Coordinates of all heavy atoms in Angstrom, one line a residue:
M1 N -17.9 31.8 43.0 CA -17.9 32.1 41.6 C -17.7 33.6 41.5 O -18.3 34.4 42.2 CB -19.2 31.7 41.0 CG -19.2 31.7 39.5 SD -20.6 30.9 38.8 CE -21.1 32.0 37.6
E2 N -16.9 34.0 40.5 CA -16.6 35.4 40.3 C -17.8 36.2 39.7 O -18.4 35.7 38.8 CB -15.4 35.6 39.3 CG -14.7 36.9 39.4 CD -13.5 36.9 38.5 OE1 -12.7 35.9 38.6 OE2 -13.3 37.9 37.8
K3 N -18.1 37.4 40.3 CA -19.2 38.1 39.8 C -18.9 38.8 38.4 O -17.8 39.3 38.2 CB -19.5 39.2 40.8 CG -20.9 39.9 40.5 CD -21.3 40.8 41.7 CE -22.6 41.4 41.5 NZ -22.7 42.3 40.4
R4 N -19.8 38.6 37.5 CA -19.6 39.2 36.2 C -19.9 40.7 36.2 O -20.9 41.1 36.7 CB -20.5 38.5 35.2 CG -20.1 38.6 33.8 CD -20.9 37.7 32.9 NE -21.1 38.4 31.7 CZ -22.2 38.2 30.9 NH1 -23.0 37.3 31.2 NH2 -22.3 38.9 29.8
D5 N -19.0 41.4 35.5 CA -19.2 42.9 35.4 C -20.2 43.2 34.2 O -19.8 42.9 33.1 CB -17.8 43.6 35.1 CG -18.0 45.1 35.1 OD1 -19.1 45.6 35.1 OD2 -16.9 45.8 35.2
E6 N -21.4 43.6 34.6 CA -22.4 43.9 33.6 C -22.1 45.1 32.7 O -22.7 45.3 31.7 CB -23.7 44.1 34.3 CG -24.2 43.0 35.1 CD -24.6 41.7 34.3 OE1 -24.9 41.9 33.1 OE2 -24.5 40.6 34.8
N7 N -21.1 45.9 33.1 CA -20.7 47.1 32.4 C -19.8 46.9 31.2 O -19.5 47.7 30.5 CB -20.2 48.2 33.3 CG -21.2 48.6 34.3 OD1 -22.4 48.8 34.0 ND2 -20.8 48.7 35.6
I8 N -19.2 45.6 31.1 CA -18.3 45.4 30.1 C -19.0 45.3 28.7 O -20.0 44.6 28.6 CB -17.5 44.1 30.3 CG1 -16.6 44.3 31.6 CG2 -16.7 43.7 29.1 CD1 -15.8 43.0 32.0
S9 N -18.5 46.0 27.7 CA -19.1 45.9 26.4 C -18.0 45.9 25.4 O -16.8 46.0 25.7 CB -20.0 47.1 26.1 OG -19.2 48.2 25.9
A10 N -18.4 45.8 24.1 CA -17.4 45.7 23.0 C -16.9 47.1 22.6 O -16.1 47.3 21.7 CB -18.0 45.0 21.8
M11 N -17.5 48.1 23.2 CA -17.2 49.5 22.9 C -15.7 49.8 23.3 O -15.3 49.4 24.3 CB -18.1 50.5 23.5 CG -19.5 50.4 22.9 SD -20.7 51.4 23.8 CE -20.0 53.0 23.4
C12 N -15.1 50.7 22.5 CA -13.8 51.2 23.0 C -13.9 52.7 23.1 O -14.8 53.3 22.5 CB -12.7 50.8 22.0 SG -13.0 51.5 20.3
K13 N -13.0 53.3 23.9 CA -13.1 54.7 24.0 C -12.4 55.4 22.8 O -11.3 55.0 22.4 CB -12.3 55.1 25.3 CG -13.0 54.8 26.6 CD -12.2 55.3 27.7 CE -12.9 54.8 29.0 NZ -12.1 54.9 30.2
P14 N -13.1 56.4 22.3 CA -12.4 57.1 21.2 C -11.2 57.9 21.7 O -11.2 58.4 22.8 CB -13.5 58.0 20.6 CG -14.4 58.2 21.8 CD -14.4 57.0 22.6
S15 N -10.2 58.0 20.9 CA -9.1 58.8 21.2 C -8.4 59.3 20.0 O -8.4 58.6 18.9 CB -8.1 58.1 22.1 OG -7.5 57.0 21.4
I16 N -7.8 60.5 20.1 CA -7.2 61.1 18.9 C -6.1 60.2 18.4 O -5.2 59.8 19.2 CB -6.7 62.5 19.2 CG1 -7.9 63.4 19.5 CG2 -5.8 63.1 18.1 CD1 -7.6 64.8 19.9
G17 N -6.1 59.9 17.2 CA -5.0 59.2 16.6 C -5.1 57.7 16.7 O -4.2 57.0 16.2
E18 N -6.2 57.2 17.2 CA -6.4 55.7 17.4 C -6.3 55.0 16.0 O -5.7 54.0 15.9 CB -7.8 55.5 18.0 CG -8.0 54.1 18.4 CD -7.2 53.7 19.7 OE1 -6.7 54.6 20.4 OE2 -7.1 52.5 19.9
A19 N -6.8 55.7 15.0 CA -6.7 55.1 13.6 C -5.7 55.8 12.8 O -5.7 55.6 11.6 CB -8.1 55.1 13.0
G20 N -4.9 56.6 13.4 CA -3.9 57.4 12.6 C -4.5 58.6 11.9 O -5.7 58.9 11.9
R21 N -3.5 59.4 11.3 CA -4.0 60.5 10.6 C -4.8 60.1 9.4 O -4.6 59.0 8.8 CB -2.7 61.3 10.1 CG -2.1 62.1 11.2 CD -0.9 62.9 10.6 NE -0.3 63.7 11.6 CZ -0.5 65.0 11.7 NH1 -1.2 65.7 10.9 NH2 0.1 65.7 12.7
T22 N -5.7 61.0 9.0 CA -6.7 60.6 8.0 C -6.1 60.5 6.6 O -6.5 59.7 5.8 CB -7.9 61.6 8.0 OG1 -8.5 61.5 9.3 CG2 -8.9 61.2 7.0
G23 N -5.1 61.4 6.3 CA -4.6 61.4 5.0 C -5.5 62.1 4.0 O -6.4 62.9 4.4
D24 N -5.5 61.7 2.7 CA -6.2 62.5 1.7 C -7.4 61.7 1.2 O -8.0 62.1 0.2 CB -5.3 62.9 0.6 CG -4.7 61.7 -0.2 OD1 -5.0 60.6 0.2 OD2 -3.9 62.0 -1.1
W25 N -7.8 60.6 1.9 CA -9.0 59.8 1.3 C -10.3 60.4 1.8 O -11.3 60.0 1.2 CB -8.8 58.4 1.7 CG -8.7 58.1 3.2 CD1 -7.5 57.9 3.9 CD2 -9.7 58.0 4.2 NE1 -7.8 57.7 5.2 CE2 -9.1 57.8 5.4 CE3 -11.1 58.1 4.1 CZ2 -9.9 57.6 6.6 CZ3 -11.9 58.0 5.3 CH2 -11.2 57.8 6.5
R26 N -10.4 61.3 2.7 CA -11.7 61.8 3.2 C -12.3 62.5 2.1 O -11.7 63.4 1.4 CB -11.4 62.6 4.4 CG -12.7 63.2 5.1 CD -12.5 64.0 6.3 NE -11.7 65.2 5.9 CZ -10.7 65.7 6.7 NH1 -10.5 65.2 7.9 NH2 -10.0 66.7 6.3
T27 N -13.6 62.3 1.9 CA -14.4 63.0 0.8 C -15.2 64.1 1.3 O -15.5 65.1 0.6 CB -15.3 62.0 0.1 OG1 -16.2 61.4 1.0 CG2 -14.5 61.0 -0.7
L28 N -15.6 64.1 2.6 CA -16.4 65.2 3.2 C -15.7 65.6 4.5 O -15.2 64.8 5.2 CB -17.8 64.7 3.5 CG -18.7 64.2 2.4 CD1 -20.0 63.5 2.9 CD2 -19.1 65.4 1.5
R29 N -15.8 66.9 4.7 CA -15.3 67.5 6.0 C -16.4 68.3 6.7 O -17.2 68.9 6.0 CB -14.1 68.3 5.8 CG -14.3 69.6 5.1 CD -13.2 70.6 5.2 NE -12.0 70.1 4.6 CZ -10.8 70.6 4.9 NH1 -10.7 71.7 5.7 NH2 -9.7 70.2 4.3
P30 N -16.4 68.2 8.0 CA -17.4 69.0 8.8 C -16.9 70.5 8.9 O -15.8 70.8 9.2 CB -17.4 68.3 10.2 CG -16.0 67.8 10.3 CD -15.5 67.4 8.9
V31 N -17.9 71.4 8.6 CA -17.6 72.8 8.8 C -18.7 73.4 9.8 O -19.9 73.2 9.5 CB -17.7 73.5 7.4 CG1 -17.5 75.0 7.6 CG2 -16.6 73.0 6.5
I32 N -18.2 74.0 10.8 CA -19.1 74.5 11.9 C -19.5 75.9 11.6 O -18.6 76.8 11.4 CB -18.5 74.4 13.3 CG1 -18.1 72.9 13.6 CG2 -19.4 74.9 14.3 CD1 -17.3 72.8 14.9
D33 N -20.8 76.2 11.6 CA -21.3 77.6 11.5 C -21.4 78.1 12.9 O -22.3 77.8 13.7 CB -22.6 77.6 10.8 CG -23.2 79.0 10.7 OD1 -22.7 79.9 11.3 OD2 -24.3 79.1 10.0
Q34 N -20.4 78.9 13.3 CA -20.4 79.4 14.7 C -21.5 80.3 15.0 O -21.8 80.6 16.2 CB -19.0 80.1 15.0 CG -17.8 79.2 14.8 CD -17.8 78.0 15.8 OE1 -18.5 78.0 16.9 NE2 -16.9 77.0 15.6
T35 N -22.2 80.8 14.0 CA -23.4 81.7 14.3 C -24.6 80.9 14.7 O -25.6 81.4 15.2 CB -23.7 82.6 13.1 OG1 -24.2 81.7 12.0 CG2 -22.6 83.4 12.6
R36 N -24.5 79.5 14.5 CA -25.6 78.6 14.9 C -25.2 77.7 16.1 O -26.0 77.2 16.8 CB -26.0 77.7 13.8 CG -26.5 78.5 12.6 CD -26.9 77.5 11.5 NE -28.2 76.9 11.8 CZ -29.2 76.9 11.1 NH1 -29.2 77.6 10.0 NH2 -30.3 76.3 11.5
C37 N -23.9 77.5 16.3 CA -23.4 76.6 17.3 C -23.7 77.1 18.7 O -23.4 78.3 19.0 CB -21.9 76.4 17.1 SG -21.2 75.4 18.4
I38 N -24.4 76.3 19.5 CA -25.0 76.7 20.8 C -23.9 77.3 21.7 O -24.2 78.4 22.3 CB -25.8 75.6 21.4 CG1 -27.0 75.3 20.5 CG2 -26.2 75.9 22.8 CD1 -27.7 74.0 20.8
P39 N -22.8 76.7 22.0 CA -21.8 77.3 22.9 C -21.3 78.7 22.4 O -21.2 79.6 23.2 CB -20.7 76.3 22.9 CG -21.2 75.1 22.5 CD -22.3 75.4 21.5
S40 N -21.2 78.9 21.1 CA -20.7 80.2 20.6 C -21.8 81.2 20.7 O -21.6 82.4 21.1 CB -20.3 80.0 19.1 OG -19.1 79.4 19.0
V41 N -23.1 80.8 20.4 CA -24.2 81.7 20.5 C -24.5 82.1 21.9 O -24.6 83.3 22.2 CB -25.5 81.1 19.9 CG1 -26.7 82.0 20.1 CG2 -25.3 80.9 18.4
K42 N -24.5 81.1 22.8 CA -24.8 81.4 24.3 C -23.6 81.9 25.1 O -23.7 82.3 26.2 CB -25.5 80.2 24.9 CG -26.8 79.9 24.3 CD -27.5 78.8 25.1 CE -28.8 78.4 24.6 NZ -29.9 79.4 24.9
K43 N -22.4 81.7 24.5 CA -21.2 82.1 25.1 C -21.0 81.3 26.5 O -20.6 81.9 27.5 CB -21.0 83.6 25.3 CG -21.0 84.3 24.0 CD -20.6 85.7 24.1 CE -20.5 86.5 22.9 NZ -20.7 85.9 21.6
K44 N -21.4 80.1 26.5 CA -21.2 79.3 27.7 C -21.2 77.8 27.3 O -21.6 77.4 26.2 CB -22.3 79.5 28.7 CG -23.7 79.0 28.3 CD -24.7 79.3 29.4 CE -26.0 78.7 29.1 NZ -27.0 78.9 30.1
S45 N -20.6 77.0 28.1 CA -20.5 75.5 27.9 C -21.9 74.9 27.8 O -22.6 74.9 28.8 CB -19.6 74.9 28.9 OG -18.3 75.3 28.9
A46 N -22.3 74.4 26.7 CA -23.6 73.8 26.5 C -23.5 72.9 25.3 O -22.6 73.0 24.4 CB -24.6 74.9 26.3
C47 N -24.4 72.0 25.2 CA -24.6 71.1 24.1 C -23.4 70.1 24.0 O -23.4 69.1 24.6 CB -24.8 71.9 22.8 SG -25.2 70.8 21.4
F48 N -22.5 70.4 23.1 CA -21.3 69.6 22.9 C -21.7 68.2 22.5 O -20.9 67.2 22.8 CB -20.4 69.6 24.1 CG -19.8 70.9 24.5 CD1 -19.7 71.3 25.8 CD2 -19.3 71.7 23.5 CE1 -19.1 72.5 26.1 CE2 -18.7 73.0 23.8 CZ -18.6 73.4 25.1
L49 N -22.8 68.0 21.8 CA -23.2 66.7 21.4 C -22.3 66.2 20.3 O -22.0 65.0 20.2 CB -24.7 66.7 20.9 CG -25.7 66.8 21.9 CD1 -27.1 66.8 21.3 CD2 -25.6 65.7 23.0
C50 N -21.7 67.1 19.5 CA -20.7 66.7 18.5 C -19.5 66.0 19.2 O -19.0 65.0 18.7 CB -20.3 67.9 17.6 SG -19.9 69.3 18.6
W51 N -19.1 66.6 20.3 CA -18.0 66.1 21.1 C -18.3 64.7 21.6 O -17.6 63.8 21.6 CB -17.6 67.1 22.2 CG -16.8 66.5 23.3 CD1 -15.4 66.4 23.3 CD2 -17.2 66.0 24.5 NE1 -15.0 65.8 24.4 CE2 -16.1 65.6 25.2 CE3 -18.5 65.9 25.1 CZ2 -16.1 65.0 26.5 CZ3 -18.5 65.3 26.4 CH2 -17.4 64.9 27.1
L52 N -19.6 64.6 22.1 CA -20.0 63.4 22.7 C -20.1 62.2 21.7 O -19.7 61.1 22.0 CB -21.4 63.6 23.4 CG -22.0 62.4 24.1 CD1 -21.2 62.1 25.4 CD2 -23.5 62.7 24.5
Y53 N -20.6 62.5 20.5 CA -20.8 61.4 19.6 C -19.7 61.1 18.6 O -19.7 60.1 18.0 CB -22.1 61.7 18.8 CG -23.4 61.5 19.5 CD1 -24.1 62.5 20.0 CD2 -23.8 60.2 19.8 CE1 -25.3 62.3 20.7 CE2 -24.9 59.9 20.5 CZ -25.7 61.0 21.0 OH -26.8 60.7 21.7
C54 N -18.7 62.0 18.5 CA -17.7 61.8 17.5 C -16.9 60.5 17.9 O -16.3 60.4 18.9 CB -16.7 63.0 17.5 SG -15.2 62.6 16.4
P55 N -16.9 59.5 17.0 CA -16.2 58.3 17.3 C -14.7 58.4 17.3 O -14.0 57.5 17.8 CB -16.7 57.3 16.2 CG -17.1 58.2 15.1 CD -17.6 59.5 15.7
E56 N -14.2 59.4 16.7 CA -12.7 59.6 16.7 C -12.2 60.4 17.8 O -11.0 60.5 17.9 CB -12.3 60.2 15.3 CG -12.7 59.3 14.1 CD -11.9 58.0 14.1 OE1 -10.7 58.1 14.4 OE2 -12.5 57.0 13.8
G57 N -13.1 61.0 18.6 CA -12.6 61.9 19.7 C -11.8 63.1 19.2 O -10.9 63.5 19.9
V58 N -12.2 63.6 18.1 CA -11.4 64.7 17.5 C -12.1 66.1 17.7 O -11.6 67.1 17.2 CB -11.1 64.5 16.1 CG1 -10.2 63.3 15.9 CG2 -12.3 64.4 15.2
V59 N -13.3 66.1 18.4 CA -13.9 67.4 18.6 C -13.5 67.9 20.0 O -13.5 67.2 21.0 CB -15.5 67.2 18.6 CG1 -16.2 68.6 18.9 CG2 -15.9 66.7 17.2
K60 N -13.1 69.2 20.0 CA -12.7 69.8 21.2 C -13.9 70.6 21.8 O -14.4 71.5 21.1 CB -11.5 70.7 21.0 CG -10.9 71.3 22.2 CD -9.6 72.0 21.9 CE -9.0 72.7 23.0 NZ -8.0 73.7 22.7
A61 N -14.3 70.2 23.0 CA -15.5 70.9 23.7 C -15.0 72.2 24.2 O -14.6 72.3 25.4 CB -16.1 70.0 24.7
A62 N -14.9 73.2 23.4 CA -14.5 74.5 23.8 C -15.4 75.5 23.2 O -16.3 75.2 22.4 CB -13.0 74.7 23.3
I63 N -15.1 76.8 23.5 CA -15.8 77.9 22.9 C -14.8 78.7 22.1 O -14.0 79.4 22.7 CB -16.6 78.7 23.9 CG1 -17.5 77.9 24.8 CG2 -17.4 79.8 23.3 CD1 -18.1 78.6 26.0
P64 N -14.8 78.7 20.8 CA -15.7 77.9 19.9 C -15.3 76.4 19.9 O -14.1 76.1 20.1 CB -15.5 78.6 18.6 CG -14.1 79.1 18.6 CD -13.8 79.5 20.0
V65 N -16.2 75.6 19.5 CA -16.0 74.2 19.3 C -15.0 74.1 18.1 O -15.1 74.8 17.1 CB -17.3 73.4 18.9 CG1 -17.0 72.0 18.5 CG2 -18.2 73.4 20.1
E66 N -14.0 73.2 18.3 CA -13.0 73.0 17.2 C -12.9 71.5 16.8 O -13.1 70.6 17.7 CB -11.6 73.4 17.7 CG -11.5 74.9 18.0 CD -10.2 75.2 18.7 OE1 -9.2 74.4 18.7 OE2 -10.1 76.3 19.2
I67 N -12.7 71.2 15.6 CA -12.5 69.9 15.1 C -11.1 69.7 14.5 O -10.6 70.5 13.7 CB -13.6 69.6 14.0 CG1 -15.0 69.6 14.6 CG2 -13.3 68.2 13.3 CD1 -16.1 69.5 13.6
D68 N -10.4 68.7 15.0 CA -9.1 68.4 14.5 C -9.2 67.6 13.2 O -9.4 66.4 13.1 CB -8.3 67.6 15.5 CG -6.8 67.4 15.1 OD1 -6.5 67.6 13.9 OD2 -6.0 67.0 16.0
L69 N -9.0 68.4 12.1 CA -9.3 67.8 10.7 C -8.1 66.8 10.3 O -8.3 66.1 9.4 CB -9.4 68.9 9.7 CG -10.8 69.7 9.9 CD1 -10.8 70.8 8.9 CD2 -12.0 68.8 9.6
D70 N -7.0 66.8 11.0 CA -5.9 65.9 10.7 C -6.4 64.5 11.0 O -5.9 63.5 10.4 CB -4.7 66.2 11.6 CG -3.9 67.4 11.1 OD1 -4.2 67.8 9.9 OD2 -3.1 67.9 11.8
Y71 N -7.3 64.3 11.9 CA -7.8 63.0 12.3 C -9.3 62.7 12.1 O -9.7 61.6 12.1 CB -7.5 62.8 13.8 CG -6.0 62.7 14.1 CD1 -5.4 63.8 14.7 CD2 -5.3 61.6 13.9 CE1 -4.1 63.9 15.0 CE2 -3.9 61.6 14.1 CZ -3.3 62.7 14.7 OH -2.0 62.7 14.9
C72 N -10.0 63.7 11.8 CA -11.5 63.6 11.4 C -11.6 62.7 10.2 O -10.9 62.9 9.2 CB -12.1 64.9 11.2 SG -13.7 64.9 10.3
K73 N -12.5 61.7 10.3 CA -12.7 60.7 9.2 C -13.8 61.1 8.3 O -14.1 60.4 7.3 CB -12.9 59.3 9.7 CG -11.7 58.8 10.6 CD -10.5 58.7 9.8 CE -9.3 58.1 10.7 NZ -8.7 59.1 11.6
G74 N -14.5 62.2 8.6 CA -15.6 62.7 7.7 C -16.8 61.8 7.7 O -17.6 61.8 6.8
C75 N -17.1 61.2 8.8 CA -18.2 60.2 8.9 C -19.6 61.0 8.9 O -20.6 60.4 8.5 CB -18.1 59.3 10.1 SG -18.2 60.2 11.7
G76 N -19.6 62.2 9.4 CA -20.8 63.0 9.4 C -21.7 62.8 10.6 O -22.8 63.4 10.7
I77 N -21.3 62.0 11.6 CA -22.1 61.7 12.8 C -22.4 63.0 13.5 O -23.5 63.3 14.0 CB -21.5 60.7 13.7 CG1 -21.5 59.3 13.0 CG2 -22.2 60.6 15.1 CD1 -20.7 58.2 13.7
C78 N -21.3 63.9 13.6 CA -21.5 65.2 14.4 C -22.6 66.0 13.7 O -23.4 66.6 14.4 CB -20.2 65.9 14.4 SG -19.4 66.1 12.8
A79 N -22.6 66.0 12.4 CA -23.6 66.8 11.7 C -25.0 66.3 11.9 O -26.0 67.0 12.0 CB -23.3 66.9 10.2
E80 N -25.1 64.9 11.9 CA -26.4 64.3 12.1 C -26.9 64.6 13.5 O -28.1 64.8 13.7 CB -26.2 62.8 12.0 CG -26.2 62.3 10.5 CD -27.5 62.5 9.8 OE1 -28.6 62.3 10.4 OE2 -27.5 63.0 8.7
E81 N -26.0 64.6 14.5 CA -26.5 64.8 15.9 C -26.6 66.2 16.3 O -27.3 66.5 17.4 CB -25.5 64.1 16.8 CG -25.4 62.6 16.6 CD -26.7 61.8 16.9 OE1 -27.5 62.4 17.7 OE2 -26.9 60.8 16.3
C82 N -26.1 67.1 15.6 CA -26.2 68.5 16.0 C -27.6 69.1 16.0 O -28.3 69.1 15.0 CB -25.3 69.4 15.1 SG -25.4 71.2 15.5
P83 N -28.1 69.5 17.2 CA -29.5 69.9 17.3 C -29.7 71.3 16.6 O -30.9 71.6 16.3 CB -29.8 70.0 18.8 CG -28.4 70.2 19.4 CD -27.4 69.5 18.5
A84 N -28.7 72.0 16.4 CA -28.8 73.4 15.8 C -28.5 73.4 14.3 O -28.6 74.4 13.7 CB -27.9 74.3 16.5
K85 N -28.2 72.2 13.8 CA -27.9 72.1 12.4 C -26.7 73.0 12.0 O -26.8 73.7 11.0 CB -29.1 72.3 11.4 CG -30.2 71.4 11.7 CD -29.9 70.0 11.2 CE -31.0 69.0 11.5 NZ -30.5 67.7 12.0
A86 N -25.8 73.1 12.9 CA -24.7 74.0 12.8 C -23.5 73.4 12.0 O -22.5 74.2 11.7 CB -24.2 74.5 14.2
I87 N -23.5 72.1 11.8 CA -22.4 71.5 11.1 C -22.9 71.1 9.7 O -23.8 70.3 9.5 CB -21.9 70.3 11.9 CG1 -21.5 70.7 13.3 CG2 -20.7 69.6 11.1 CD1 -21.0 69.6 14.1
Q88 N -22.1 71.5 8.7 CA -22.4 71.1 7.3 C -21.2 70.2 6.9 O -20.1 70.5 7.1 CB -22.5 72.3 6.4 CG -23.7 73.1 6.6 CD -24.3 73.4 5.2 OE1 -23.6 73.5 4.2 NE2 -25.6 73.7 5.2
M89 N -21.6 69.1 6.2 CA -20.5 68.3 5.6 C -20.3 68.8 4.2 O -21.2 68.8 3.3 CB -21.0 66.8 5.6 CG -21.2 66.2 7.0 SD -19.8 66.4 8.1 CE -18.6 65.2 7.3
V90 N -19.1 69.2 4.0 CA -18.7 69.9 2.7 C -17.7 69.0 1.9 O -16.8 68.4 2.5 CB -18.0 71.2 3.0 CG1 -17.5 71.9 1.7 CG2 -19.0 72.2 3.8
R91 N -17.9 68.9 0.7 CA -17.0 68.0 -0.2 C -15.6 68.6 -0.1 O -15.4 69.8 -0.2 CB -17.5 68.0 -1.6 CG -18.7 67.0 -1.8 CD -19.2 67.1 -3.2 NE -18.1 66.8 -4.1 CZ -18.1 65.9 -5.1 NH1 -19.2 65.1 -5.2 NH2 -17.1 65.6 -5.9
E92 N -14.7 67.7 0.0 CA -13.3 68.2 0.1 C -12.9 69.0 -1.1 O -12.2 70.0 -1.1 CB -12.3 67.0 0.3 CG -12.3 66.4 1.7 CD -11.7 67.2 2.7 OE1 -11.1 68.3 2.4 OE2 -11.7 66.8 3.9
D93 N -13.4 68.5 -2.3 CA -13.0 69.2 -3.5 C -13.7 70.5 -3.8 O -13.5 71.3 -4.7 CB -13.1 68.3 -4.7 CG -14.5 67.8 -4.9 OD1 -15.4 68.2 -4.2 OD2 -14.7 66.9 -5.8
Q94 N -14.7 70.8 -2.8 CA -15.4 72.1 -2.9 C -15.0 73.0 -1.8 O -15.5 74.1 -1.7 CB -16.9 71.9 -2.9 CG -17.4 71.2 -4.2 CD -18.9 71.0 -4.2 OE1 -19.5 71.2 -3.1 NE2 -19.4 70.4 -5.2
S95 N -14.2 72.5 -0.9 CA -13.8 73.3 0.3 C -12.5 74.1 0.0 O -11.6 73.6 -0.5 CB -13.6 72.4 1.5 OG -13.2 73.1 2.6
D96 N -12.5 75.4 0.5 CA -11.3 76.1 0.3 C -10.7 76.4 1.7 O -9.8 77.3 1.8 CB -11.6 77.4 -0.5 CG -12.7 78.3 0.1 OD1 -13.2 77.9 1.2 OD2 -13.1 79.3 -0.5
E97 N -11.2 75.7 2.7 CA -10.6 75.9 4.1 C -9.3 75.0 4.2 O -9.3 74.0 3.7 CB -11.6 75.6 5.2 CG -12.6 76.7 5.3 CD -13.6 76.4 6.4 OE1 -13.1 76.2 7.5 OE2 -14.8 76.5 6.2
Ligands
SF4_1 S1 -23.6 69.7 18.4 FE1 -23.9 71.5 17.1 S2 -24.7 73.1 18.4 FE2 -23.9 71.5 19.7 S3 -21.8 72.1 20.2 FE3 -21.7 70.8 18.4 S4 -21.8 72.1 16.6 FE4 -22.4 73.3 18.4
SF4_2 S1 -17.1 63.9 10.8 FE1 -17.0 62.1 12.1 S2 -14.9 62.0 12.7 FE2 -15.2 64.1 11.9 S3 -15.6 65.3 13.7 FE3 -17.6 64.6 12.8 S4 -18.1 62.8 14.0 FE4 -15.9 63.2 14.3

């Protein structure tokens, strides 16, 4: 009998563009405060929980951390998970970036 792979789950790997470009329906966008973001403050690769948890795979684990807003869906998970509270979800109609 074939051995069952216990590691198989219903999860899929996030990847940029999996659900296409976001378009104009997003109501909130993440804005990173680099003065609080751990890699920027410490000037070294650290934390990157936003990269880890983003379901769209649109966070670049770099210094500084970057978010590809063309594909970001505005779910706010990155802001929820950020231990430094460095990400604010800003209303699209109040954002001038
Ligand atoms: S989770 Fe927050 S502190 Fe950590 S890398 Fe992302 S924005 Fe920076
Ligand atoms: S708001 Fe959601 S989709 Fe956009 S960067 Fe954060 S976790 Fe990813």
Side-chain angles (χ1 to χ4, degrees):
M1 192 169 137
E2 198 174 319
K3 191 170 184 298
R4 202 170 140 206
D5 185 347
E6 300 294 336
N7 295 317
I8 292 177
S9 75
M11 291 174 64
C12 61
K13 289 183 183 165
S15 64
I16 292 174
E18 192 70 16
R21 282 182 179 257
T22 303
D24 61 2
W25 56 262
R26 184 180 58 216
T27 55
L28 297 170
R29 69 163 62 195
V31 176
I32 301 175
D33 178 353
Q34 299 294 345
T35 68
R36 298 181 75 120
C37 177
I38 292 167
S40 287
V41 172
K42 293 188 179 287
K43 297 190 178 2
K44 66 178 186 183
S45 294
C47 186
F48 295 139
L49 288 179
C50 49
W51 165 82
L52 182 68
Y53 283 106
C54 174
E56 297 295 318
V58 299
V59 179
K60 191 171 170 192
I63 305 172
V65 171
E66 294 171 17
I67 295 173
D68 187 342
L69 292 173
D70 283 345
Y71 295 100
C72 165
K73 302 296 183 280
C75 65
I77 291 173
C78 54
E80 281 293 318
E81 297 297 336
C82 176
K85 301 288 173 224
I87 303 177
Q88 287 226 335
M89 298 304 292
V90 176
R91 283 177 57 125
E92 287 287 359
D93 58 6
Q94 290 176 359
S95 174
D96 52 7
E97 284 184 53

